[in-house]
């Protein structure tokens, strides 16, 4: 299967911004797409998601700072991250959200993109 391809990570100071990009197979938009963060020693957790009906959700800790968007024509998903904090550090992955119906049971993962925020 075609896996997502993430880019845009880097090392920044607290308060700075980064914009992550991800190329996904077009069918993933049907299942909703999201960004997931994995901090060292922890499981991946949903950071932001945008569903096929346009509904958007964020993890509480990033509300007001992160913005997820997508460009269906380009098969792209973005995560604009502003006012970054040290707790945002981790590897970021994008994938589909729903795992029922026509959507696969297991998410497809790419290599991720690393974000490091220092104080």
């Amino acid at each position: 299967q075609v896996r997502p391809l993430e880019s845009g990570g880097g090392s920044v100071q607290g308060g700075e911004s980064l914009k992550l990009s991800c190329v996904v197979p077009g069918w993933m938009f049907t299942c909703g797409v999201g960004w997931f963060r994995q901090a060292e020693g922890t499981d991946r957790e949903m950071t932001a998601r945008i569903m096929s009906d346009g509904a958007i959700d964020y993890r509480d800790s990033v509300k007001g700072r992160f913005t997820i968007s997508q460009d269906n024509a380009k098969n792209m998903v973005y995560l604009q991250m502003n006012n970054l904090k040290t707790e945002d550090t981790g590897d970021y992955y994008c994938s589909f959200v729903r795992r029922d119906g026509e959507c696969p049971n297991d998410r497809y993962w790419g290599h991720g993109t690393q974000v490091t925020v220092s104080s």
Side-chain angles (χ1 to χ4, degrees):
Q1 63 270 23
V2 177
R3 296 180 180 274
L5 180 62
E6 302 92 348
S7 63
S11 295
V12 297
Q13 296 285 320
E16 294 183 340
S17 299
L18 282 172
K19 185 174 184 177
L20 307 184
S21 300
C22 183
V23 184
V24 298
W27 64 262
M28 283 193 180
F29 294 115
T30 302
C31 301
V33 288
W35 284 94
F36 301 76
R37 181 182 70 95
Q38 185 169 25
E40 188 174 351
T42 69
D43 295 330
R44 284 190 187 101
E45 56 180 359
M46 182 86 67
T47 295
R49 67 181 186 184
I50 180 167
M51 304 307 291
S52 59
D53 63 358
I56 293 176
D57 294 295
Y58 298 97
R59 182 158 43 93
D60 286 346
S61 63
V62 307
K63 287 180 180 177
R65 300 188 296 120
F66 289 13
T67 303
I68 187 172
S69 62
Q70 65 186 50
D71 185 334
N72 294 43
K74 297 180 179 179
N75 287 0
M76 296 292 295
V77 185
Y78 305 99
L79 186 67
Q80 177 67 46
M81 306 188 295
N82 297 329
N83 189 21
L84 281 160
K85 302 179 179 182
T86 55
E87 54 263 40
D88 297 321
T89 294
D91 294 320
Y92 285 73
Y93 302 83
C94 70
S95 189
F96 57 94
V97 175
R98 285 178 49 213
R99 291 182 291 173
D100 60 357
E102 70 274 23
C103 304
N105 291 328
D106 295 317
R107 294 192 175 103
Y108 304 156
W109 301 109
H111 294 294
T113 186
Q114 187 175 58
V115 172
T116 303
V117 184
S118 55
S119 58

